[in-house]
C-alpha cells in the first residue's frame, strides 16, 4: 500500500530526478520509477535506453524498482496496488501542466493522489532537455547527471 509511482519521461534521468526520488524515499518505503513509450513527446533515448540508465543509476537505492508501462498511468498505478503518483516541481512554469495532469488523473481515479516534491535549489533549472542541449554544444554536464548518463549522452550527441 505504501508504494509510490514516480512517473516521467526520464529522457535521460538527471540529478534533479534522482533528488526527487531520494526525497520521495524518505516518505514512501518503496518507489517504482515508471516510464513509457511517449506519445506527446519525442524522446532522444529509446524506452529501453531510458530504462537501462534508470536501472543503472538506482541500482544501489533500496526500495526502488524501475518499470515500463503502457497506457494510462492511473491504470498502471492501480495495477500495482499503489495509491500515490510522485512528481517534481521546479518552478511556476511546471505548475500549469502538473496541475492539469494531477486533476485529470484524480478524475480518472479519485483514490489515487498526486504528491509533489519541490526541487532543491541547485536543481531548480535542471531539465533533461537542457542537459542534452549543453552536451550537444560540447559543454560539461558532469555536475548535472550521473557518470553513466553523461557517457550515454556524449555517445548520443556525437
Ligand atoms: P514528463 O515528460 O512526464 O514531464 P520528465 O522526465 O520531464 O517527464 O519529468 C518527470 C518529473 O520530474 C516531472 O514531474 C518533472 O517536473 C520532474 N523533474 C524533472 N526535472 C526535475 C528537477 N530538476 N527537479 C525537480 N523535479 C524535476
Amino acid at each position: 500500500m505504501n508504494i509510490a509511482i514516480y512517473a516521467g519521461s526520464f529522457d535521460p534521468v538527471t540529478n534533479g530526478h534522482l533528488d526527487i526520488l531520494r526525497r520521495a524515499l524518505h516518505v514512501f518505503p518503496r518507489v517504482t520509477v515508471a516510464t513509457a513509450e511517449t506519445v506527446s513527446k519525442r524522446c532522444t533515448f529509446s524506452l529501453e535506453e531510458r530504462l537501462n540508465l534508470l536501472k543503472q543509476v538506482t541500482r544501489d537505492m533500496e526500495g526502488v524498482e524501475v518499470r515500463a508501462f503502457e497506457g494510462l498511468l492511473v491504470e498502471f498505478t492501480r495495477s500495482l496496488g499503489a495509491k500515490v503518483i510522485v512528481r517534481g516541481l521546479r518552478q511556476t512554469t511546471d505548475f500549469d501542466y502538473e496541475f492539469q495532469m494531477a486533476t485529470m488523473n484524480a478524475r480518472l481515479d479519485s483514490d489515487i493522489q498526486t504528491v509533489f516534491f519541490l526541487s532543491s535549489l541547485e536543481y531548480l533549472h535542471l531539465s533533461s532537455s537542457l542537459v542534452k542541449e549543453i552536451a550537444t554544444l560540447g559543454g560539461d554536464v558532469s555536475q548535472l547527471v550521473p557518470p553513466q548518463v553523461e557517457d550515454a549522452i556524449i555517445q548520443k550527441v556525437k
Side-chain angles (χ1 to χ4, degrees):
M1 276 313 240
N2 279 331
I3 312 175
I5 311 298
Y6 181 25
S9 315
F10 305 106
D11 184 38
V13 57
T14 68
N15 290 343
H17 290 125
L18 293 175
D19 171 59
I20 297 290
L21 177 58
R22 281 196 196 92
R23 280 178 310 112
L25 285 165
H26 286 299
V27 181
F28 304 102
R30 287 164 62 201
V31 178
T32 296
V33 182
T35 190
E37 206 75 77
T38 45
V39 194
S40 55
K41 229 181 184 178
R42 248 187 90 90
C43 281
T44 307
F45 290 85
S46 68
L47 177 60
E48 203 188 333
E49 289 170 327
R50 287 180 280 129
L51 285 169
N52 277 338
L53 288 172
L54 279 168
K55 282 180 188 159
Q56 285 177 46
V57 302
T58 59
R59 191 173 291 156
D60 297 329
M61 294 171 86
E62 208 175 312
V64 175
E65 189 192 22
V66 174
R67 296 274 294 260
F69 72 97
E70 278 175 32
L72 285 175
L73 177 59
V74 282
E75 270 168 25
F76 175 69
T77 304
R78 205 185 301 140
S79 74
L80 295 184
K83 293 204 179 296
V84 173
I85 293 170
V86 164
R87 297 281 292 176
L89 283 177
R90 283 161 289 192
Q91 37 218 332
T92 49
T93 44
D94 278 342
F95 184 80
D96 283 352
Y97 175 70
E98 294 294 342
F99 185 69
Q100 206 179 350
M101 292 282 289
T103 313
M104 186 48 74
N105 283 336
R107 184 184 269 208
L108 292 170
D109 190 329
S110 57
D111 283 340
I112 294 174
Q113 308 297 325
T114 302
V115 172
F116 294 100
F117 287 85
L118 297 184
S119 174
S120 304
L121 282 181
E122 62 178 313
Y123 300 127
L124 215 52
H125 303 290
L126 178 54
S127 67
S128 301
S129 44
L130 196 55
V131 171
K132 287 182 284 190
E133 205 173 315
I134 294 168
T136 306
L137 298 171
D140 176 15
V141 296
S142 60
Q143 304 299 307
L144 311 176
V145 292
Q148 302 94 320
V149 178
E150 184 187 3
D151 291 346
I153 296 178
I154 290 170
Q155 288 304 319
K156 189 61 86 178
V157 303
K158 248 184 187 172

